Amino acid sequence: MIITICLLILIYSILKRPVGGLLEKLGDVDWKSLSLDAWDKIVTYSKKLGRATTRELLKFYYVMSEGDLSTFEKALVYAGIIYIAVPGDLLPRKVLGFLGVLDDAGVAAWLYDKIGSKITPAIELKADMKLDEWFGPEIVTGVI
């Protein structure tokens, strides 16, 4: 039920529709528990999503669990993580290939626009350290 409400808040917000009634339903939400749920989704799907997408999800996760976000912002971040991480969404990646990636990228870009200023260098470093732990150190190659 909470996932549905958060996803509706995300969709309504993207469509610039009022979300006040939905926000009222999140008054007693245990955000720590939802943060753990988001973490589980990231861990479960990180290998399938790859390093770049997982990096963004980790930044969203860390800002949700450690940052100073309003209930509205937490609902957006939680819904964004679920929408991007879990394979089944409006435009499924398995069926539509690249088009299925575009909606996830759009949600991530929109979410970044809303809360990106709250992603600190410390959060970015923490995400990069977790990526190195999961995927190994990033190898940067350049052309000389």
Side-chain angles (χ1 to χ4, degrees), residues 109-136:
W110 183 87
L111 189 55
Y112 218 96
D113 181 59
K114 297 297 173 200
I115 58 99
S117 65
K118 297 187 180 193
I119 298 174
T120 64
I123 286 173
E124 294 208 19
L125 178 62
K126 196 168 186 176
D128 288 339
M129 290 172 58
K130 185 55 72 177
L131 286 171
D132 288 347
E133 180 183 319
W134 288 353
F135 291 89

Side-chain angles (χ1 to χ4, degrees), residues 51-90:
R51 186 181 188 101
T53 301
T54 300
R55 182 176 196 268
E56 299 313 310
L57 292 177
L58 285 170
K59 290 190 297 187
F60 292 151
Y61 167 77
Y62 288 130
V63 79
M64 177 185 166
S65 61
E66 300 171 8
D68 183 27
L69 300 181
S70 67
T71 299
F72 172 69
E73 291 168 325
K74 287 179 183 178
L76 291 178
V77 172
Y78 177 70
I81 290 171
I82 299 302
Y83 189 84
I84 294 165
V86 177
D89 55 29
L90 294 176

Side-chain angles (χ1 to χ4, degrees), residues 2-76:
I2 297 300
I3 290 175
T4 303
I5 293 169
C6 290
L7 286 169
L8 285 172
I9 288 171
L10 175 68
I11 293 166
Y12 283 20
S13 297
I14 290 171
L15 298 173
K16 299 183 180 185
R17 302 281 185 218
V19 296
L22 292 167
L23 279 174
E24 289 175 8
K25 296 178 180 189
L26 298 178
D28 297 333
V29 168
D30 177 7
W31 288 106
K32 184 173 176 94
S33 175
L34 288 182
S35 290
L36 293 174
D37 181 45
W39 180 257
D40 289 343
K41 300 294 189 252
I42 294 169
V43 170
T44 300
Y45 295 107
S46 63
K47 295 292 182 187
K48 291 179 183 176
L49 294 169
R51 186 181 188 101
T53 301
T54 300
R55 182 176 196 268
E56 299 313 310
L57 292 177
L58 285 170
K59 290 190 297 187
F60 292 151
Y61 167 77
Y62 288 130
V63 79
M64 177 185 166
S65 61
E66 300 171 8
D68 183 27
L69 300 181
S70 67
T71 299
F72 172 69
E73 291 168 325
K74 287 179 183 178
L76 291 178

